[in-house]
Amino acid sequence: KAGVTQTPRYLIKTRGQQVTLSCSPISGHRSVSWYQQTPGQGLQFLFEYFSETQRNKGNFPGRFSGRQFSNSRSEMNVSTLELGDSALYLCASVLTSGGTGELFFGEGSRLTVL
Amino acid sequence: AQSVTQLGSHVSVSEGALVLLRCNYSSSVPPYLFWYVQYPNQGLQLLLKYTTGATLVKGINGFEAEFKKSETSFHLTKPSAHMSDAAEYFCAVSPASGGSYIPTFGRGTSLIVHP
């Protein structure tokens, strides 16, 4: 069974630009969550999507948005990038039917904002 | 509401020594508890989890953790550290009911293993 796939793995942007990150969950997993990981703030929850609907949202500004497609693949977008957006962005999927809430993480997309 | 406290942002041990990483949680409902490990430049992967039943849980790579409800703790241990255990470890809690699968993570503990 293929794992969670995130693309791109690494990217460099400049302030003011926008970025789109992609996540393909494990087949059969309908819930996809996004996290931002930085040395200073640790692992912070961005949002969760289930059946194409945002079900939970963390405490991030509106520049951070996401969506989920009918095949459960998800994208997140960050607009008007700031230096502080430099981070590892992790996507995780979970089996919501018959599961115990275990998250399966991708390897992450490392964003550097210059 | 849930929260997780991991005592010590860094833990240093010698190879072959006991590993003990501490995790305390608070939860208003019965919890599911998890330990995840993150190796450099990788995502998190599950080490072990407690859902129901036996309170001593065994995971991968020789790690185990014990759920102690009275102490609201879920400490991670390994009898003998290997160099390959050097990584970041995260404790997490999620509600066992209520439909939300969003866990609350601790800040993480970096395990350093000396030869």
Side-chain angles (χ1 to χ4, degrees), chain A residues 9-10 33 35 37 40-43 45 48 55-56 88 90 94 96 100-103 105-107 110, chain B residues 32 34 36 38 41-46 49 51 88 90 94-95 99-107:
Chain A
R9 288 292 313 280
Y10 302 91
S33 302
Y35 292 83
Q37 186 178 25
Q41 299 298 319
L43 204 61
F45 171 70
E48 181 216 6
R55 188 163 66 171
N56 290 284
L88 180 66
L90 292 165
V94 64
T96 51
T100 54
E102 172 188 350
L103 294 177
F105 284 86
E107 293 192 307
R110 184 167 294 282
Chain B
Y32 288 159
F34 307 85
Y36 289 86
Q38 184 180 33
N41 297 315
Q42 294 186 24
L44 281 69
Q45 65 181 86
L46 184 72
K49 63 182 178 183
T51 54
E88 190 84 13
F90 294 90
S94 68
S100 172
Y101 295 91
I102 305 305
T104 299
F105 284 88
R107 293 295 297 267

mmCIF file of all heavy atoms in Angstrom, chain A residues 9-10 33 35 37 40-43 45 48 55-56 88 90 94 96 100-103 105-107 110, chain B residues 32 34 36 38 41-46 49 51 88 90 94-95 99-107:
data_model
loop_
_atom_site.group_PDB
_atom_site.id
_atom_site.type_symbol
_atom_site.label_atom_id
_atom_site.label_comp_id
_atom_site.label_asym_id
_atom_site.label_seq_id
_atom_site.Cartn_x
_atom_site.Cartn_y
_atom_site.Cartn_z
ATOM 1 N N ARG A 9 8.938 18.298 -2.538
ATOM 2 C CA ARG A 9 9.642 18.069 -1.271
ATOM 3 C C ARG A 9 10.355 19.326 -0.784
ATOM 4 O O ARG A 9 10.417 19.586 0.407
ATOM 5 C CB ARG A 9 10.654 16.935 -1.421
ATOM 6 C CG ARG A 9 10.077 15.547 -1.539
ATOM 7 C CD ARG A 9 9.407 15.077 -0.236
ATOM 8 N NE ARG A 9 10.194 15.308 0.960
ATOM 9 C CZ ARG A 9 11.194 14.566 1.378
ATOM 10 N NH1 ARG A 9 11.570 13.515 0.659
ATOM 11 N NH2 ARG A 9 11.830 14.838 2.500
ATOM 12 N N TYR A 10 10.896 20.063 -1.699
ATOM 13 C CA TYR A 10 11.616 21.284 -1.347
ATOM 14 C C TYR A 10 11.228 22.396 -2.319
ATOM 15 O O TYR A 10 11.036 22.131 -3.501
ATOM 16 C CB TYR A 10 13.135 21.077 -1.415
ATOM 17 C CG TYR A 10 13.641 19.981 -0.519
ATOM 18 C CD1 TYR A 10 13.756 18.677 -0.977
ATOM 19 C CD2 TYR A 10 14.004 20.250 0.794
ATOM 20 C CE1 TYR A 10 14.218 17.664 -0.156
ATOM 21 C CE2 TYR A 10 14.464 19.245 1.633
ATOM 22 C CZ TYR A 10 14.562 17.960 1.147
ATOM 23 O OH TYR A 10 15.019 16.971 1.974
ATOM 24 N N SER A 33 -5.123 15.978 6.988
ATOM 25 C CA SER A 33 -4.789 17.111 7.851
ATOM 26 C C SER A 33 -3.467 17.711 7.420
ATOM 27 O O SER A 33 -2.612 17.015 6.872
ATOM 28 C CB SER A 33 -4.664 16.658 9.309
ATOM 29 O OG SER A 33 -5.847 16.062 9.762
ATOM 30 N N TYR A 35 -0.165 20.222 8.783
ATOM 31 C CA TYR A 35 0.538 20.756 9.929
ATOM 32 C C TYR A 35 1.718 21.597 9.449
ATOM 33 O O TYR A 35 2.344 21.303 8.438
ATOM 34 C CB TYR A 35 1.073 19.629 10.821
ATOM 35 C CG TYR A 35 0.001 18.843 11.525
ATOM 36 C CD1 TYR A 35 -0.664 17.806 10.873
ATOM 37 C CD2 TYR A 35 -0.356 19.138 12.842
ATOM 38 C CE1 TYR A 35 -1.651 17.080 11.513
ATOM 39 C CE2 TYR A 35 -1.345 18.410 13.489
ATOM 40 C CZ TYR A 35 -1.985 17.388 12.813
ATOM 41 O OH TYR A 35 -2.968 16.679 13.449
ATOM 42 N N GLN A 37 5.433 22.792 10.780
ATOM 43 C CA GLN A 37 6.440 22.481 11.785
ATOM 44 C C GLN A 37 7.603 23.450 11.673
ATOM 45 O O GLN A 37 8.241 23.567 10.611
ATOM 46 C CB GLN A 37 6.945 21.041 11.642
ATOM 47 C CG GLN A 37 7.892 20.635 12.763
ATOM 48 C CD GLN A 37 8.358 19.204 12.643
ATOM 49 O OE1 GLN A 37 8.379 18.625 11.567
ATOM 50 N NE2 GLN A 37 8.724 18.623 13.773
ATOM 51 N N GLY A 40 10.754 26.818 16.348
ATOM 52 C CA GLY A 40 10.284 27.621 17.468
ATOM 53 C C GLY A 40 8.904 27.270 17.969
ATOM 54 O O GLY A 40 8.630 27.321 19.163
ATOM 55 N N GLN A 41 8.012 26.892 17.074
ATOM 56 C CA GLN A 41 6.606 26.648 17.427
ATOM 57 C C GLN A 41 6.219 25.176 17.463
ATOM 58 O O GLN A 41 5.102 24.840 17.859
ATOM 59 C CB GLN A 41 5.690 27.380 16.446
ATOM 60 C CG GLN A 41 5.863 28.882 16.434
ATOM 61 C CD GLN A 41 5.529 29.501 17.771
ATOM 62 O OE1 GLN A 41 4.555 29.102 18.418
ATOM 63 N NE2 GLN A 41 6.331 30.443 18.215
ATOM 64 N N GLY A 42 7.111 24.313 17.051
ATOM 65 C CA GLY A 42 6.774 22.896 17.058
ATOM 66 C C GLY A 42 5.797 22.548 15.949
ATOM 67 O O GLY A 42 5.803 23.163 14.877
ATOM 68 N N LEU A 43 4.922 21.594 16.254
ATOM 69 C CA LEU A 43 3.973 21.075 15.263
ATOM 70 C C LEU A 43 2.632 21.760 15.483
ATOM 71 O O LEU A 43 1.995 21.587 16.512
ATOM 72 C CB LEU A 43 3.844 19.573 15.465
ATOM 73 C CG LEU A 43 3.397 18.692 14.318
ATOM 74 C CD1 LEU A 43 4.371 18.792 13.160
ATOM 75 C CD2 LEU A 43 3.305 17.249 14.795
ATOM 76 N N PHE A 45 -1.264 22.594 14.048
ATOM 77 C CA PHE A 45 -2.345 22.136 13.189
ATOM 78 C C PHE A 45 -2.878 23.282 12.342
ATOM 79 O O PHE A 45 -3.199 24.359 12.863
ATOM 80 C CB PHE A 45 -3.458 21.555 14.055
ATOM 81 C CG PHE A 45 -4.729 21.236 13.328
ATOM 82 C CD1 PHE A 45 -4.782 20.183 12.436
ATOM 83 C CD2 PHE A 45 -5.861 21.989 13.549
ATOM 84 C CE1 PHE A 45 -5.952 19.886 11.767
ATOM 85 C CE2 PHE A 45 -7.043 21.701 12.893
ATOM 86 C CZ PHE A 45 -7.088 20.639 11.995
ATOM 87 N N GLU A 48 -8.083 20.429 8.669
ATOM 88 C CA GLU A 48 -8.414 19.060 8.302
ATOM 89 C C GLU A 48 -9.549 19.078 7.292
ATOM 90 O O GLU A 48 -10.509 19.845 7.438
ATOM 91 C CB GLU A 48 -8.856 18.243 9.513
ATOM 92 C CG GLU A 48 -9.188 16.790 9.153
ATOM 93 C CD GLU A 48 -10.360 16.223 9.947
ATOM 94 O OE1 GLU A 48 -11.013 16.976 10.703
ATOM 95 O OE2 GLU A 48 -10.631 15.017 9.797
ATOM 96 N N ARG A 55 -13.255 20.429 7.987
ATOM 97 C CA ARG A 55 -13.968 20.006 9.187
ATOM 98 C C ARG A 55 -13.392 20.652 10.442
ATOM 99 O O ARG A 55 -14.101 20.855 11.420
ATOM 100 C CB ARG A 55 -13.921 18.479 9.290
ATOM 101 C CG ARG A 55 -14.785 17.902 10.386
ATOM 102 C CD ARG A 55 -15.030 16.422 10.199
ATOM 103 N NE ARG A 55 -13.834 15.610 10.322
ATOM 104 C CZ ARG A 55 -13.853 14.265 10.364
ATOM 105 N NH1 ARG A 55 -14.995 13.629 10.289
ATOM 106 N NH2 ARG A 55 -12.728 13.589 10.445
ATOM 107 N N ASN A 56 -12.100 20.922 10.429
ATOM 108 C CA ASN A 56 -11.450 21.561 11.565
ATOM 109 C C ASN A 56 -10.428 22.559 11.050
ATOM 110 O O ASN A 56 -9.844 22.356 9.977
ATOM 111 C CB ASN A 56 -10.743 20.522 12.455
ATOM 112 C CG ASN A 56 -11.706 19.640 13.204
ATOM 113 O OD1 ASN A 56 -12.317 20.053 14.184
ATOM 114 N ND2 ASN A 56 -11.851 18.410 12.730
ATOM 115 N N LEU A 88 8.521 23.340 7.594
ATOM 116 C CA LEU A 88 8.201 22.042 7.009
ATOM 117 C C LEU A 88 6.692 21.869 7.110
ATOM 118 O O LEU A 88 6.128 21.958 8.206
ATOM 119 C CB LEU A 88 8.919 20.925 7.758
ATOM 120 C CG LEU A 88 8.680 19.497 7.249
ATOM 121 C CD1 LEU A 88 9.276 19.319 5.849
ATOM 122 C CD2 LEU A 88 9.266 18.463 8.212
ATOM 123 N N LEU A 90 3.622 19.445 6.774
ATOM 124 C CA LEU A 90 3.343 18.015 6.798
ATOM 125 C C LEU A 90 1.871 17.753 6.546
ATOM 126 O O LEU A 90 1.004 18.451 7.063
ATOM 127 C CB LEU A 90 3.734 17.422 8.150
ATOM 128 C CG LEU A 90 5.228 17.396 8.472
ATOM 129 C CD1 LEU A 90 5.456 17.149 9.946
ATOM 130 C CD2 LEU A 90 5.930 16.338 7.643
ATOM 131 N N VAL A 94 -5.792 9.813 7.679
ATOM 132 C CA VAL A 94 -6.268 8.897 8.720
ATOM 133 C C VAL A 94 -7.444 8.107 8.193
ATOM 134 O O VAL A 94 -8.261 8.617 7.426
ATOM 135 C CB VAL A 94 -6.631 9.672 10.002
ATOM 136 C CG1 VAL A 94 -7.786 10.627 9.759
ATOM 137 C CG2 VAL A 94 -6.984 8.723 11.130
ATOM 138 N N THR A 96 -10.788 6.954 8.768
ATOM 139 C CA THR A 96 -11.830 7.433 9.667
ATOM 140 C C THR A 96 -12.915 6.411 9.950
ATOM 141 O O THR A 96 -13.693 6.589 10.853
ATOM 142 C CB THR A 96 -12.496 8.688 9.089
ATOM 143 O OG1 THR A 96 -12.888 8.424 7.734
ATOM 144 C CG2 THR A 96 -11.526 9.840 9.099
ATOM 145 N N THR A 100 -8.423 4.057 14.648
ATOM 146 C CA THR A 100 -8.247 4.559 16.006
ATOM 147 C C THR A 100 -7.568 5.914 16.014
ATOM 148 O O THR A 100 -6.952 6.290 17.002
ATOM 149 C CB THR A 100 -7.439 3.570 16.852
ATOM 150 O OG1 THR A 100 -6.216 3.278 16.169
ATOM 151 C CG2 THR A 100 -8.222 2.297 17.084
ATOM 152 N N GLY A 101 -7.641 6.633 14.916
ATOM 153 C CA GLY A 101 -7.105 7.976 14.897
ATOM 154 C C GLY A 101 -5.623 8.065 14.620
ATOM 155 O O GLY A 101 -5.037 9.126 14.749
ATOM 156 N N GLU A 102 -4.992 6.950 14.252
ATOM 157 C CA GLU A 102 -3.564 6.989 13.930
ATOM 158 C C GLU A 102 -3.360 7.783 12.650
ATOM 159 O O GLU A 102 -4.016 7.545 11.644
ATOM 160 C CB GLU A 102 -3.034 5.575 13.735
ATOM 161 C CG GLU A 102 -1.617 5.506 13.202
ATOM 162 C CD GLU A 102 -1.206 4.093 12.848
ATOM 163 O OE1 GLU A 102 -1.940 3.163 13.185
ATOM 164 O OE2 GLU A 102 -0.149 3.932 12.221
ATOM 165 N N LEU A 103 -2.431 8.743 12.703
ATOM 166 C CA LEU A 103 -2.105 9.561 11.537
ATOM 167 C C LEU A 103 -0.965 8.925 10.750
ATOM 168 O O LEU A 103 0.000 8.427 11.323
ATOM 169 C CB LEU A 103 -1.691 10.959 11.965
ATOM 170 C CG LEU A 103 -2.760 11.827 12.627
ATOM 171 C CD1 LEU A 103 -2.155 13.163 13.044
ATOM 172 C CD2 LEU A 103 -3.923 12.062 11.687
ATOM 173 N N PHE A 105 1.775 10.084 8.111
ATOM 174 C CA PHE A 105 2.358 11.324 7.611
ATOM 175 C C PHE A 105 3.128 11.114 6.319
ATOM 176 O O PHE A 105 3.754 10.066 6.106
ATOM 177 C CB PHE A 105 3.318 11.918 8.642
ATOM 178 C CG PHE A 105 2.638 12.597 9.795
ATOM 179 C CD1 PHE A 105 2.231 11.864 10.900
ATOM 180 C CD2 PHE A 105 2.412 13.961 9.777
ATOM 181 C CE1 PHE A 105 1.609 12.487 11.972
ATOM 182 C CE2 PHE A 105 1.788 14.594 10.841
ATOM 183 C CZ PHE A 105 1.387 13.849 11.944
ATOM 184 N N GLY A 106 3.117 12.154 5.493
ATOM 185 C CA GLY A 106 4.032 12.225 4.377
ATOM 186 C C GLY A 106 5.386 12.726 4.860
ATOM 187 O O GLY A 106 5.566 13.029 6.042
ATOM 188 N N GLU A 107 6.336 12.818 3.933
ATOM 189 C CA GLU A 107 7.676 13.260 4.299
ATOM 190 C C GLU A 107 7.787 14.778 4.389
ATOM 191 O O GLU A 107 8.795 15.295 4.841
ATOM 192 C CB GLU A 107 8.697 12.698 3.320
ATOM 193 C CG GLU A 107 8.823 11.167 3.414
ATOM 194 C CD GLU A 107 10.027 10.664 2.671
ATOM 195 O OE1 GLU A 107 10.159 11.015 1.473
ATOM 196 O OE2 GLU A 107 10.835 9.921 3.252
ATOM 197 N N ARG A 110 9.327 21.130 2.361
ATOM 198 C CA ARG A 110 10.098 22.144 3.085
ATOM 199 C C ARG A 110 10.112 23.435 2.273
ATOM 200 O O ARG A 110 10.679 23.490 1.185
ATOM 201 C CB ARG A 110 11.521 21.677 3.359
ATOM 202 C CG ARG A 110 12.302 22.693 4.203
ATOM 203 C CD ARG A 110 13.594 22.133 4.745
ATOM 204 N NE ARG A 110 13.391 21.069 5.706
ATOM 205 C CZ ARG A 110 13.048 21.243 6.981
ATOM 206 N NH1 ARG A 110 12.856 22.463 7.439
ATOM 207 N NH2 ARG A 110 12.920 20.208 7.787
ATOM 208 N N TYR B 32 -7.160 8.507 23.410
ATOM 209 C CA TYR B 32 -6.230 7.663 22.701
ATOM 210 C C TYR B 32 -4.874 8.371 22.823
ATOM 211 O O TYR B 32 -4.799 9.600 22.714
ATOM 212 C CB TYR B 32 -6.591 7.541 21.218
ATOM 213 C CG TYR B 32 -7.812 6.702 20.920
ATOM 214 C CD1 TYR B 32 -8.497 6.867 19.718
ATOM 215 C CD2 TYR B 32 -8.278 5.736 21.801
ATOM 216 C CE1 TYR B 32 -9.616 6.103 19.402
ATOM 217 C CE2 TYR B 32 -9.396 4.976 21.507
ATOM 218 C CZ TYR B 32 -10.060 5.161 20.313
ATOM 219 O OH TYR B 32 -11.167 4.403 20.011
ATOM 220 N N PHE B 34 -0.633 8.414 21.751
ATOM 221 C CA PHE B 34 0.303 8.009 20.692
ATOM 222 C C PHE B 34 1.699 8.537 20.977
ATOM 223 O O PHE B 34 1.867 9.588 21.590
ATOM 224 C CB PHE B 34 -0.139 8.585 19.331
ATOM 225 C CG PHE B 34 -1.562 8.299 18.946
ATOM 226 C CD1 PHE B 34 -2.590 9.121 19.384
ATOM 227 C CD2 PHE B 34 -1.870 7.224 18.135
ATOM 228 C CE1 PHE B 34 -3.909 8.877 19.026
ATOM 229 C CE2 PHE B 34 -3.189 6.966 17.758
ATOM 230 C CZ PHE B 34 -4.209 7.789 18.212
ATOM 231 N N TYR B 36 4.952 9.283 18.390
ATOM 232 C CA TYR B 36 5.465 9.306 17.029
ATOM 233 C C TYR B 36 6.948 9.636 17.066
ATOM 234 O O TYR B 36 7.415 10.335 17.964
ATOM 235 C CB TYR B 36 4.754 10.380 16.197
ATOM 236 C CG TYR B 36 3.313 10.088 15.849
ATOM 237 C CD1 TYR B 36 2.283 10.414 16.726
ATOM 238 C CD2 TYR B 36 2.983 9.489 14.638
ATOM 239 C CE1 TYR B 36 0.969 10.153 16.398
ATOM 240 C CE2 TYR B 36 1.652 9.229 14.300
ATOM 241 C CZ TYR B 36 0.652 9.566 15.202
ATOM 242 O OH TYR B 36 -0.659 9.304 14.877
ATOM 243 N N GLN B 38 10.245 11.118 14.609
ATOM 244 C CA GLN B 38 10.589 11.829 13.374
ATOM 245 C C GLN B 38 12.103 11.829 13.210
ATOM 246 O O GLN B 38 12.822 12.404 14.021
ATOM 247 C CB GLN B 38 10.067 13.258 13.401
ATOM 248 C CG GLN B 38 10.315 14.019 12.111
ATOM 249 C CD GLN B 38 9.779 15.445 12.174
ATOM 250 O OE1 GLN B 38 9.770 16.076 13.221
ATOM 251 N NE2 GLN B 38 9.335 15.967 11.026
ATOM 252 N N ASN B 41 14.683 15.166 8.327
ATOM 253 C CA ASN B 41 14.161 15.354 6.965
ATOM 254 C C ASN B 41 13.095 14.335 6.572
ATOM 255 O O ASN B 41 12.951 14.012 5.388
ATOM 256 C CB ASN B 41 15.305 15.318 5.949
ATOM 257 C CG ASN B 41 16.283 16.451 6.167
ATOM 258 O OD1 ASN B 41 15.887 17.589 6.375
ATOM 259 N ND2 ASN B 41 17.565 16.132 6.154
ATOM 260 N N GLN B 42 12.383 13.851 7.570
ATOM 261 C CA GLN B 42 11.293 12.927 7.280
ATOM 262 C C GLN B 42 10.030 13.366 8.013
ATOM 263 O O GLN B 42 10.058 14.242 8.881
ATOM 264 C CB GLN B 42 11.655 11.507 7.711
ATOM 265 C CG GLN B 42 12.790 10.903 6.913
ATOM 266 C CD GLN B 42 13.023 9.442 7.275
ATOM 267 O OE1 GLN B 42 12.120 8.764 7.758
ATOM 268 N NE2 GLN B 42 14.217 8.964 7.030
ATOM 269 N N GLY B 43 8.914 12.735 7.656
ATOM 270 C CA GLY B 43 7.679 12.970 8.393
ATOM 271 C C GLY B 43 7.664 12.144 9.663
ATOM 272 O O GLY B 43 8.631 11.466 9.999
ATOM 273 N N LEU B 44 6.545 12.225 10.379
ATOM 274 C CA LEU B 44 6.404 11.462 11.611
ATOM 275 C C LEU B 44 5.900 10.057 11.288
ATOM 276 O O LEU B 44 5.114 9.869 10.356
ATOM 277 C CB LEU B 44 5.396 12.140 12.546
ATOM 278 C CG LEU B 44 5.871 13.348 13.350
ATOM 279 C CD1 LEU B 44 6.141 14.556 12.468
ATOM 280 C CD2 LEU B 44 4.838 13.690 14.417
ATOM 281 N N GLN B 45 6.334 9.095 12.091
ATOM 282 C CA GLN B 45 5.794 7.752 11.950
ATOM 283 C C GLN B 45 5.418 7.230 13.325
ATOM 284 O O GLN B 45 6.054 7.569 14.332
ATOM 285 C CB GLN B 45 6.781 6.808 11.253
ATOM 286 C CG GLN B 45 8.052 6.526 11.997
ATOM 287 C CD GLN B 45 8.986 5.602 11.225
ATOM 288 O OE1 GLN B 45 9.771 6.051 10.392
ATOM 289 N NE2 GLN B 45 8.879 4.324 11.503
ATOM 290 N N LEU B 46 4.397 6.406 13.361
ATOM 291 C CA LEU B 46 3.880 5.914 14.629
ATOM 292 C C LEU B 46 4.833 4.916 15.264
ATOM 293 O O LEU B 46 5.270 3.963 14.619
ATOM 294 C CB LEU B 46 2.519 5.259 14.405
ATOM 295 C CG LEU B 46 1.815 4.791 15.677
ATOM 296 C CD1 LEU B 46 1.317 6.003 16.476
ATOM 297 C CD2 LEU B 46 0.646 3.869 15.348
ATOM 298 N N LYS B 49 0.757 3.023 20.175
ATOM 299 C CA LYS B 49 -0.467 3.721 20.542
ATOM 300 C C LYS B 49 -1.199 2.957 21.629
ATOM 301 O O LYS B 49 -1.095 1.729 21.729
ATOM 302 C CB LYS B 49 -1.384 3.894 19.333
ATOM 303 C CG LYS B 49 -1.880 2.580 18.729
ATOM 304 C CD LYS B 49 -2.737 2.824 17.506
ATOM 305 C CE LYS B 49 -3.187 1.499 16.884
ATOM 306 N NZ LYS B 49 -3.970 1.706 15.632
ATOM 307 N N THR B 51 -5.116 2.524 22.919
ATOM 308 C CA THR B 51 -6.516 2.829 22.659
ATOM 309 C C THR B 51 -7.355 2.310 23.825
ATOM 310 O O THR B 51 -7.911 3.068 24.602
ATOM 311 C CB THR B 51 -6.979 2.226 21.321
ATOM 312 O OG1 THR B 51 -6.695 0.820 21.296
ATOM 313 C CG2 THR B 51 -6.243 2.893 20.170
ATOM 314 N N GLU B 88 13.583 12.909 16.877
ATOM 315 C CA GLU B 88 12.622 13.724 17.629
ATOM 316 C C GLU B 88 11.423 12.844 17.933
ATOM 317 O O GLU B 88 10.917 12.142 17.048
ATOM 318 C CB GLU B 88 12.193 14.932 16.776
ATOM 319 C CG GLU B 88 11.383 15.976 17.507
ATOM 320 C CD GLU B 88 12.263 16.969 18.254
ATOM 321 O OE1 GLU B 88 13.477 16.995 18.015
ATOM 322 O OE2 GLU B 88 11.701 17.724 19.079
ATOM 323 N N PHE B 90 7.480 12.634 19.570
ATOM 324 C CA PHE B 90 6.295 13.417 19.871
ATOM 325 C C PHE B 90 5.236 12.549 20.537
ATOM 326 O O PHE B 90 4.912 11.470 20.033
ATOM 327 C CB PHE B 90 5.689 14.015 18.590
ATOM 328 C CG PHE B 90 6.547 15.036 17.920
ATOM 329 C CD1 PHE B 90 7.476 14.658 16.966
ATOM 330 C CD2 PHE B 90 6.431 16.377 18.246
ATOM 331 C CE1 PHE B 90 8.282 15.602 16.337
ATOM 332 C CE2 PHE B 90 7.226 17.332 17.619
ATOM 333 C CZ PHE B 90 8.154 16.934 16.673
ATOM 334 N N SER B 94 -5.634 12.157 21.492
ATOM 335 C CA SER B 94 -6.862 12.489 20.775
ATOM 336 C C SER B 94 -8.037 11.866 21.512
ATOM 337 O O SER B 94 -7.869 10.880 22.232
ATOM 338 C CB SER B 94 -6.815 12.007 19.320
ATOM 339 O OG SER B 94 -6.843 10.604 19.248
ATOM 340 N N PRO B 95 -9.216 12.425 21.350
ATOM 341 C CA PRO B 95 -10.366 11.888 22.077
ATOM 342 C C PRO B 95 -10.789 10.541 21.513
ATOM 343 O O PRO B 95 -10.785 10.332 20.301
ATOM 344 C CB PRO B 95 -11.441 12.952 21.875
ATOM 345 C CG PRO B 95 -11.055 13.646 20.619
ATOM 346 C CD PRO B 95 -9.562 13.611 20.558
ATOM 347 N N GLY B 99 -15.884 11.949 17.321
ATOM 348 C CA GLY B 99 -15.783 12.136 15.879
ATOM 349 C C GLY B 99 -14.580 12.892 15.394
ATOM 350 O O GLY B 99 -14.269 12.861 14.220
ATOM 351 N N SER B 100 -13.867 13.596 16.259
ATOM 352 C CA SER B 100 -12.702 14.346 15.801
ATOM 353 C C SER B 100 -11.459 13.489 15.911
ATOM 354 O O SER B 100 -11.206 12.899 16.946
ATOM 355 C CB SER B 100 -12.506 15.615 16.628
ATOM 356 O OG SER B 100 -11.272 16.227 16.297
ATOM 357 N N TYR B 101 -10.708 13.418 14.853
ATOM 358 C CA TYR B 101 -9.480 12.633 14.861
ATOM 359 C C TYR B 101 -8.265 13.530 14.980
ATOM 360 O O TYR B 101 -7.156 13.085 14.757
ATOM 361 C CB TYR B 101 -9.400 11.810 13.586
ATOM 362 C CG TYR B 101 -10.500 10.783 13.508
ATOM 363 C CD1 TYR B 101 -11.701 11.094 12.895
ATOM 364 C CD2 TYR B 101 -10.344 9.534 14.071
ATOM 365 C CE1 TYR B 101 -12.719 10.166 12.840
ATOM 366 C CE2 TYR B 101 -11.355 8.598 14.026
ATOM 367 C CZ TYR B 101 -12.537 8.919 13.409
ATOM 368 O OH TYR B 101 -13.550 8.000 13.363
ATOM 369 N N ILE B 102 -8.458 14.758 15.333
ATOM 370 C CA ILE B 102 -7.344 15.683 15.391
ATOM 371 C C ILE B 102 -6.636 15.547 16.728
ATOM 372 O O ILE B 102 -7.177 15.903 17.765
ATOM 373 C CB ILE B 102 -7.823 17.133 15.203
ATOM 374 C CG1 ILE B 102 -8.616 17.246 13.897
ATOM 375 C CG2 ILE B 102 -6.632 18.084 15.208
ATOM 376 C CD1 ILE B 102 -7.849 16.767 12.687
ATOM 377 N N PRO B 103 -5.409 15.030 16.712
ATOM 378 C CA PRO B 103 -4.681 14.894 17.975
ATOM 379 C C PRO B 103 -4.022 16.204 18.368
ATOM 380 O O PRO B 103 -3.759 17.063 17.529
ATOM 381 C CB PRO B 103 -3.626 13.838 17.656
ATOM 382 C CG PRO B 103 -3.367 14.016 16.200
ATOM 383 C CD PRO B 103 -4.669 14.464 15.585
ATOM 384 N N THR B 104 -3.772 16.322 19.639
ATOM 385 C CA THR B 104 -2.970 17.422 20.158
ATOM 386 C C THR B 104 -1.576 16.878 20.411
ATOM 387 O O THR B 104 -1.418 15.861 21.086
ATOM 388 C CB THR B 104 -3.572 17.965 21.466
ATOM 389 O OG1 THR B 104 -4.887 18.443 21.193
ATOM 390 C CG2 THR B 104 -2.717 19.086 22.016
ATOM 391 N N PHE B 105 -0.573 17.540 19.852
ATOM 392 C CA PHE B 105 0.809 17.076 19.970
ATOM 393 C C PHE B 105 1.551 17.845 21.059
ATOM 394 O O PHE B 105 1.299 19.035 21.296
ATOM 395 C CB PHE B 105 1.556 17.279 18.647
ATOM 396 C CG PHE B 105 1.209 16.276 17.602
ATOM 397 C CD1 PHE B 105 0.142 16.484 16.744
ATOM 398 C CD2 PHE B 105 1.944 15.103 17.468
ATOM 399 C CE1 PHE B 105 -0.190 15.556 15.770
ATOM 400 C CE2 PHE B 105 1.631 14.168 16.496
ATOM 401 C CZ PHE B 105 0.555 14.389 15.655
ATOM 402 N N GLY B 106 2.494 17.166 21.698
ATOM 403 C CA GLY B 106 3.435 17.841 22.559
ATOM 404 C C GLY B 106 4.488 18.561 21.727
ATOM 405 O O GLY B 106 4.510 18.437 20.497
ATOM 406 N N ARG B 107 5.346 19.307 22.396
ATOM 407 C CA ARG B 107 6.349 20.108 21.695
ATOM 408 C C ARG B 107 7.502 19.272 21.139
ATOM 409 O O ARG B 107 8.325 19.759 20.382
ATOM 410 C CB ARG B 107 6.904 21.185 22.620
ATOM 411 C CG ARG B 107 5.893 22.238 23.005
ATOM 412 C CD ARG B 107 5.448 23.032 21.799
ATOM 413 N NE ARG B 107 6.538 23.766 21.186
ATOM 414 C CZ ARG B 107 6.848 25.019 21.471
ATOM 415 N NH1 ARG B 107 6.140 25.672 22.360
ATOM 416 N NH2 ARG B 107 7.845 25.615 20.854
#
